[in-house]
Amino acid sequence: MLLCVDNHATRRTVSRRVSALCDALLISGGNDGVGADSSGTARHGTYGNVQIHVRSAGADLTPSLERFHPEIATPADRSPAELACTELLASTPQILFTNLAAASAILNALLLALSGELHYPELAFDIRAGRMRPIELPQEGAGA
């Protein structure tokens, strides 16, 4: 399943459904949008990530979307289904080029997963910095 949504509440809902399945491949991508984040730090809209959740025979082979992302586990936003029409009009501006980078990274992860060569559970990119790299996640039981 490829997940390309703009809010963490929906990511959490899909993540929890995938966690209940016996076998699944979930690839979720997104970006940070333009503007200030909740701490007031400026976002340029050039950063994004892709998370891959793989389940086989009822066991997680990679972490769920929520495992190392508290913003997904406890989202500050709401699902679009819970918003009024006027709330849906207000959105965080995004940059087309960042969305294109996210789409490319999602498809790259899908290719690697389908060919049995996927070697990362998460990938981060920043088109402004010219970087794309796998994320090193904490080992289970190592204080995470």
Side-chain angles (χ1 to χ4, degrees), residues 48-123:
N49 75 332
V50 172
Q51 294 174 264
I52 302 96
H53 183 188
V54 180
R55 287 184 56 80
S56 180
D60 287 333
L61 301 184
T62 62
S64 72
L65 302 189
E66 302 170 71
R67 178 68 178 99
F68 296 109
H69 288 274
E71 72 278 10
I72 297 173
T74 316
D77 59 13
R78 294 181 294 160
S79 142
E82 300 172 19
L83 300 176
C85 292
T86 54
E87 291 175 294
L88 287 170
L89 292 175
S91 68
T92 302
Q94 296 181 356
I95 297 175
L96 171 66
F97 303 105
T98 309
N99 282 334
L100 180 60
S104 179
I106 288 168
L107 292 175
N108 292 343
L110 177 62
L111 173 67
L112 293 174
L114 294 176
S115 64
E117 297 182 38
L118 186 65
H119 59 92
Y120 53 84
E122 186 169 344
L123 183 76

